[in-house]
Amino acid sequence: MSKVIRNGTVVTADRTWKADVLMQHGRIVAIGTDLHGDHEFDATGCYVMPGGIDPHTHLEMPFMGTYSADDFESGTRAAVAGGTTMVVDFCLPAPQQSLLEALQMWDNKTSKAACDYSFHMAITWWDRQVFDEMAQVVDKGIPSFKHFMAYKGALMVDDDEMYASFQRCAELGALPLVHAENGDVVAALSQKLLAEGNNGPEGHAYSRPPEVEGEATNRAIMIADMAGVPLYVVHVSCEQSHEAIRRARSKGMRVYGEPLIQHLTLDESEYFNRDWDHAARRVMSPPFRNRMHQDSLWAGLQSGSLQAVATDHCAFTTEQKRYGVGDFTKIPNGTGGLEDRMPVLWTRGVNTGRLTMNEFVAVTSTNIAKILNMYPQKGAIVEGADADIVVWDPKRTKTIAAGSQQSVIDYNVFEGMEVTGMPRFVFSRGELVVQETEMRTRPGHGAFVARKPNPAPNRALSTWKEITAPRRIERSGIPATGV
Amino acid sequence: MSKVIRNGTVVTADRTWKADVLMQHGRIVAIGTDLHGDHEFDATGCYVMPGGIDPHTHLEMPFMGTYSADDFESGTRAAVAGGTTMVVDFCLPAPQQSLLEALQMWDNKTSKAACDYSFHMAITWWDRQVFDEMAQVVDKGIPSFKHFMAYKGALMVDDDEMYASFQRCAELGALPLVHAENGDVVAALSQKLLAEGNNGPEGHAYSRPPEVEGEATNRAIMIADMAGVPLYVVHVSCEQSHEAIRRARSKGMRVYGEPLIQHLTLDESEYFNRDWDHAARRVMSPPFRNRMHQDSLWAGLQSGSLQAVATDHCAFTTEQKRYGVGDFTKIPNGTGGLEDRMPVLWTRGVNTGRLTMNEFVAVTSTNIAKILNMYPQKGAIVEGADADIVVWDPKRTKTIAAGSQQSVIDYNVFEGMEVTGMPRFVFSRGELVVQETEMRTRPGHGAFVARKPNPAPNRALSTWKEITAPRRIERSGIPATGV
Amino acid sequence: MSKVIRNGTVVTADRTWKADVLMQHGRIVAIGTDLHGDHEFDATGCYVMPGGIDPHTHLEMPFMGTYSADDFESGTRAAVAGGTTMVVDFCLPAPQQSLLEALQMWDNKTSKAACDYSFHMAITWWDRQVFDEMAQVVDKGIPSFKHFMAYKGALMVDDDEMYASFQRCAELGALPLVHAENGDVVAALSQKLLAEGNNGPEGHAYSRPPEVEGEATNRAIMIADMAGVPLYVVHVSCEQSHEAIRRARSKGMRVYGEPLIQHLTLDESEYFNRDWDHAARRVMSPPFRNRMHQDSLWAGLQSGSLQAVATDHCAFTTEQKRYGVGDFTKIPNGTGGLEDRMPVLWTRGVNTGRLTMNEFVAVTSTNIAKILNMYPQKGAIVEGADADIVVWDPKRTKTIAAGSQQSVIDYNVFEGMEVTGMPRFVFSRGELVVQETEMRTRPGHGAFVARKPNPAPNRALSTWKEITAPRRIERSGIPATGV
Amino acid sequence: MSKVIRNGTVVTADRTWKADVLMQHGRIVAIGTDLHGDHEFDATGCYVMPGGIDPHTHLEMPFMGTYSADDFESGTRAAVAGGTTMVVDFCLPAPQQSLLEALQMWDNKTSKAACDYSFHMAITWWDRQVFDEMAQVVDKGIPSFKHFMAYKGALMVDDDEMYASFQRCAELGALPLVHAENGDVVAALSQKLLAEGNNGPEGHAYSRPPEVEGEATNRAIMIADMAGVPLYVVHVSCEQSHEAIRRARSKGMRVYGEPLIQHLTLDESEYFNRDWDHAARRVMSPPFRNRMHQDSLWAGLQSGSLQAVATDHCAFTTEQKRYGVGDFTKIPNGTGGLEDRMPVLWTRGVNTGRLTMNEFVAVTSTNIAKILNMYPQKGAIVEGADADIVVWDPKRTKTIAAGSQQSVIDYNVFEGMEVTGMPRFVFSRGELVVQETEMRTRPGHGAFVARKPNPAPNRALSTWKEITAPRRIERSGIPATGV
Ligand SMILES: [Zn+2]
Ligand SMILES: [Zn+2]
Ligand SMILES: [Zn+2]
Ligand SMILES: [Zn+2]
Ligand SMILES: [Zn+2]
Ligand SMILES: [Zn+2]
Ligand SMILES: [Zn+2]
Ligand SMILES: [Zn+2]
């Protein structure tokens, strides 16, 4: 049973042209003029784009005895509602827990996923077992490893462990990721703030200034360079961090940066709201920044020094947020965004001329698929690719409101924002999952996407590092000379 | 009569995969497994890539009553011999000459072109006629205009004219290009050097230090920003110029930079050779630089702050070079490179791990086709594209030597360099033009490629400039207040 | 008849200590404990500092048939009222006018100066006569030459002339200064704005964005580098210009930057005031900037990448400003500030901890005296120095108001600003000219300060440039080789 | 008994003038024309400058059961021989050792010092006792604390401890210093190199690339910024570290950088010498760098982004160096330089025009005295200052040779370098200690220089940090709103 999207304009990361798209058995089978199929979907006036990929989500993430509120069911429903057809979530082993065991636990959560998904594995502790299991994790299709430089006493790893893990990544052809904030300093500033009576949500922002993020980014880059492996910096929120990335790239280091849709469009003034709930709902790490950082992030997307837009979707209800009344360090970190990423980025990016449509596709989908080495299975409109497609209606408009969202939480950080540009249809591996406001998701339809290690940038970097490796000096006897 | 390239690995700017490529009527008609055609070409062990595009050549360029030695016949033969299947040459109107008339003259030179070509139009003077004719030039398929900030008294335009022309480009959706060196300062330094007896070829390098190029690049960028139009900087040779480009891009300005294969691999020590001919043969503008600049250029290609590798092929014989004995300002500026660009870049870039194969394709072909708005007709391996294809044998090797080159000149600036990675077959619009060392070019086969104005970056930038345009303040009477 | 300042704390650019200061015959004759003299002035609770030097004023400057409103009488009265005991004004020859003749005209204006003064000579045109007269101007004690890169059709010089003049400065050991804005682009933007109906004072700001200043600064730096001479950039108003200076300094180029007190504390929102007069009174070049630029300028003063704070005092009455009703290009450019520079900088700089007191002295006086080569005659509290001294009361406070100012104009751009830190006493060459609110100036007391050329930075730079100058390559016959 | 230096030219950090200098009781008592005293020293043709201060030495430093070879006797003799009249050494408490006890140990070593000295205290471990004793150390005249970010398992402190100590410095008005190299990464790279058989002295350099230093510098800067205290980075050896400092300073952070005379003039090629001893004698941390870093350091001294030139004098004999045969990690780290710093810097800096004479004085003496808060007791030629004076003969010349040096070690890393510019006389607190080649030092003459905390930059920064400190948001009830 074939489906065809007719009369639309195909927009990919590298071009824009009029074409119909024919799907069968979950794949794109033809792209051309005047195609026909069993079911036809009219894309007149619309752009036919690769479905969005969110490289950074936390669905049903364990937290202090509870879990982030959106699980793979509601989370992926929110995703597809906004045109995102794949999420990459983080598997977080507990200290001393086997990576493989953790992976099994995470896999168990995905049974109701409505769209495809993959995982990054977090390195939350280090010893020989972790070193060994990393190879198995890669074999299972997960060649990307996350490292937390913050969350001291919990997820944080130190430079030693990070170097060891990065070097292991280099051997395995895997990609290290970092959450870059200096955890020691965040912890110290937090204690100082609490001691001074700064216990409200704004204290969260005060405890993690841009300098603290910039420093950690810079450090991770150096360690990756020494280990000879590319690096992916998640949630780049500020100029300091972006500057470190640009500086590295200007020297030929292979570093990727991912801003979040939140940091691109929302700012720190939210934390100064007199309503505690309002502020607490925006608590995430890194926090929203002074508005001037936004220009930096947008410019990065334009110029290619930043490559991917994510959400770090990690939704907690107001009730959960209130765990932190009287102590901001206890407010669960995270906000939603899965449903909003694409419409908000289109509205603020494409409609303003900051991004071309092709750049929009690149940063929401194609670049991510390439960096995570699943291109062109994902992120592409080419024959043979998975039929993850969004038919984007640039005229459709709505006002974002928690009341009508897919996420199960009771608020939305983009509440009230008007967006222009939304999906008319969304297909996940050929299945129609969204038709305008109508959700047709089928829990369980989503499947794990296994990814291979050793993409071209890893191989190229390894070659270069080998060529430029330290060479032993041959000496004429030791010592060669008398004194 | 169809042709098929079998058993190769297709390498494009965005991916690498095993596939056969079927060509018919000059176009690619199928890409897939186990394709067959009337003629089959074995690509076992080879990479099947889009033919190279050289965005910057000067074939049969008029100079002091003579012409650059390679014309469209020998020049395009050299091009295809090295895997380049398209050149973009510069039409240079004389002062007060009609752009259209000049274009006619340039077009006349192309009758023996062996591969496709296009033109950039140079703006060498300014008045209402030029302003008007620019629209007609765009209509003829040439939406890119070159501006010389050097060559005082000849091609050079001043800031005023440059702003006017850039603004005109903005209106027309065209792309301004600049040769960025401060012509006033070059002229003054040249006079000073000659006065001091520094009249040898090294004086040419002394007269145009990197600072002089960096300044002009920075200035052109500002003017383009004010005019609201993207900018393409030709022959970026040094960190100073590259830094200006990076700085602009880091602010979201749409600026492109083109290093030459010469500047990537050769350095200023050539000018210090005791042999006058050796030094003079390397005289070009900008000159070769201190070796430390090379790292900057390579890093730019890796990170995307530089997008295209060109040659500025403008070949003069030793005899022509000797016009400048006793006065370096009279040495014709230019070197060859068309045949060598691809093998040298592969050898020094891909084989060392500085570039991935995909990046190689991007900077030699695909990026150029996109920036010049002829993608995917050119620069792509997709169905429907022109069958400009190079079958690249990564094992083939040679030592570059003037004695065996296609160019008509009597030397080669890369003489003695060993390259590994060369074409096995080259196809120009489906015609086999090279088979290893055998040239099968047909003079006159090459055709003009018309390009359209207003690609996505121009449109996006115009939108952004309109949104952020100065707004008049409404006042409450003038003056509103007494003194 | 001696005078002694007792019980104060001496603050210089390099230290702070308790000491009395004894003056006689216009000079400082002793600094120490328990000094006595004929007249004693109590400095209890006060800082005894070198009198301020304003390196950039335009008193009685000719403009469209009239003159800037403050002349040397009212201007220097305003200066000393605020603790500034010396001004350096600009002599502006008309096109084709002899520099020496212009100097005579300017000298004639100074008869009623209440404090010492010097001049910079402007190079407003170029030929052999100017070249020759520059030496005579230096001989007359004026080794600093101003160049306008803006004011097209009036004061502006082009790159050619600038290079020639800078090179002449290098020979003479003089210091070139630049007003750095790209005059071509300013003119073009102005015409565009007027054509679009943007004729209000805000159009002035729109016509000279930071990029236009940054470009010109960058260009002047390159030209000075090529000419081998230090450079002084007046009224650095923005990060773009400051960045160019920092970049140059980071390469060892000897470039100085002078922010104005206006740009440090006022911002572009003034131009958006609905009252035309309010906006027009703030029209100056460069215009006030977005507030984020202020952080850059303050940081420059702290870190030493900017060295001097000036006013560019060029006062026009509201009536004069109204020449530009309906056409912002006709609004006389300039604001006052002479009386306010020191109190405002102290309040916003020292009181906030942005600057130490020593840094305050450096940027208001000592650095300027050093750069302009009149240290320690001026800018120092040392024996033998001119007794130009301000006794600064850090507790004195006032609200700035046009109604009580010394300047003859009818408004003040700092109107309403509260300052804390003002002079208790001001001495000009040993004469008491201010005692708190009481003015005791004597018109005609002020004298011309002749300055010598060739300070240490010029000499050092010349040595370096000579050592690194281009060297001719000795060749083995031309040509050495056959083809 | 008075002494007078006659007929010389006084050169200070801020000016140059003809004057005689009269000394009595160890102090300068008069500076003027035609002074006379009991003993007269002819300075005709010479410059009379503040004696050099070396802010960074390790005399008789314990190491693996032995000690660095130059103790306070030979070390200070070497110092004065080269015109340096004060050294600041590092007191290094063992883990868990009381700071005060360590200070006593260090003080015991100084009994034979021939010139004045002071100490920095190292923070090598952290707990409440250290926190408390820091106040006592400051009371004893030592308001500067060193932190090692390298030497893992020995001196190294982590970010947590560094933040705590820096914050304590902020409270005490003290200055934190850092040895900036990432110790974790150095240790890991060292192990990797040894495992690969790279065990020669060149391995030392390979194990600590510039990136590793740049990272640590950047990190220390962030931590100091968060703690609200200035920072002094010792032995800045490379552009990466210098760039981090410049970037910080460009934001108004108060960061100082100290290059060593070794890094300014020697480069990494020394480690590639085929003679093991030659290479091992140059082993120090950070290692010598690629020559391009030298330009960066010189430019920093010129422009003021680097402020002080030191030696890190830590001399080991060849015999001691040979502890590391077969394992570079066992080669004692350190080189000499005390006798050579001033002549080498003059020769390579002043004689080439890179530095003015005033800048020479600033970076060898005055800036250091200011930063370490002992100006103008030290570092100045003013009445009342200690008579630490060098009479510098710009014509005297020698070839540096271990055979004729004061240091007790058997080699000199500057061996064979010709210097022009050396002391004619050196005075330490008024005592003549050197007369050309004749040493007249008196062991035990040297005295401890107590320094006060809370210099102006600390106070200013504290004010600024207080003004910009996080402010608690007052909320309208928690939570203010229902869900
Ligand atoms: Zn995170
Ligand atoms: Zn996350
Ligand atoms: Zn050119
Ligand atoms: Zn060209
Ligand atoms: Zn001006
Ligand atoms: Zn002015
Ligand atoms: Zn150290
Ligand atoms: Zn040390």
Side-chain angles (χ1 to χ4, degrees), chain D residues 386-397:
Chain D
D386 286 355
D388 286 2
I389 297 178
V390 58
V391 177
W392 194 259
D393 184 343
K395 298 262 166 65
R396 276 195 70 211
T397 188

Side-chain angles (χ1 to χ4, degrees), chain C residues 241-273:
Chain C
S241 182
H242 185 194
E243 186 277 333
I245 292 171
R246 288 200 309 272
R247 186 156 34 86
R249 291 176 62 87
S250 78
K251 294 175 182 168
M253 300 178 192
R254 295 188 174 276
V255 182
Y256 309 111
E258 164 206 279
L260 305 183
I261 187 62
Q262 293 92 323
H263 292 117
L264 284 160
T265 59
L266 302 172
D267 70 66
E268 64 177 359
S269 63
E270 306 280 358
Y271 300 118
F272 307 147
N273 193 294

Side-chain angles (χ1 to χ4, degrees), chain A residues 137-177:
Chain A
V137 170
V138 169
D139 285 346
K140 286 182 180 295
I142 302 178
S144 50
F145 294 91
K146 172 77 170 288
H147 303 77
F148 292 89
M149 301 173 79
Y151 302 121
K152 189 176 179 180
L155 299 164
M156 179 168 147
V157 287
D158 65 22
D159 290 3
D160 214 25
E161 295 163 331
M162 206 152 64
Y163 177 79
S165 176
F166 282 20
Q167 201 175 29
R168 182 62 167 153
C169 286
E171 291 164 12
L172 298 171
L175 179 68
L177 286 69

Side-chain angles (χ1 to χ4, degrees), chain B residues 59 70-81 84 87 112-117 338 439 441 443:
Chain B
L59 301 177
D70 281 318
D71 60 12
F72 275 80
E73 179 171 13
S74 66
T76 56
R77 203 173 60 230
V80 298
T84 291
V87 299
K112 296 196 174 167
C115 69
D116 288 357
Y117 57 87
L338 261 170
M439 297 301 298
T441 49

